[in-house]
Amino acid sequence: QVQLVESGGGLVQAGGSLRLSCAASGSIFSIGAMGWYRQAPGKQRELVAEITSGISTNYADSAKGRFTISRDNAKNTVYLQMNSLKPEDTAVYYCHVVNALTPRGFISDWGQGTQVTVSS
């Protein structure tokens, strides 16, 4: 099994910054892609940013220029640096790992979510 522990959410004023972290633990040999999704009340979960094992990145248009995703493969951790936050960034942010190689094979999983609230 893979356990994902997220941290770094909270309340911030518009224009502020937050850094989210997601650490994957368990018997993990490698991880394919890692990413962040978010879900606002009444809306569908949407991709914010993702990063492959080859360090290629993909961002939602709403995140480009403001958010930066990175990963530390030695720590099986993915980060999301969020700058210039806007009230519309308010959502629960979920970590997602794809194709984590474990003794049981490849596993994809979601974190429990961390709340980000941006006040105007």
Side-chain angles (χ1 to χ4, degrees):
Q1 286 285 20
V2 174
Q3 293 81 42
L4 301 176
V5 178
E6 299 152 336
S7 61
L11 173 64
V12 65
Q13 288 188 332
S17 298
L18 284 174
R19 189 190 193 213
L20 306 183
S21 299
C22 173
S25 62
S27 298
I28 301 170
F29 301 124
S30 64
I31 299 177
M34 305 181 79
W36 290 95
Y37 287 70
R38 68 186 182 188
Q39 187 166 18
K43 295 188 177 182
Q44 289 189 332
R45 190 173 298 188
E46 63 178 6
L47 173 70
V48 177
E50 62 185 354
I51 182 167
T52 69
S53 58
I55 316 299
S56 296
T57 57
N58 180 41
Y59 294 92
D61 287 342
S62 59
K64 290 178 181 177
R66 300 187 300 126
F67 296 179
T68 302
I69 190 169
S70 61
R71 63 189 283 177
D72 183 335
N73 289 331
K75 296 181 179 179
N76 288 330
T77 299
V78 62
Y79 306 96
L80 185 68
Q81 178 66 44
M82 303 187 293
N83 299 328
S84 302
L85 283 161
K86 305 174 181 180
E88 50 264 44
D89 294 318
T90 295
V92 177
Y93 283 70
Y94 295 91
C95 174
H96 184 42
V97 298
V98 178
N99 288 337
L101 179 58
T102 73
R104 290 192 171 188
F106 288 100
I107 293 176
S108 296
D109 208 350
W110 293 89
Q112 80 283 359
T114 185
Q115 177 70 46
V116 171
T117 302
V118 184
S119 63
S120 58

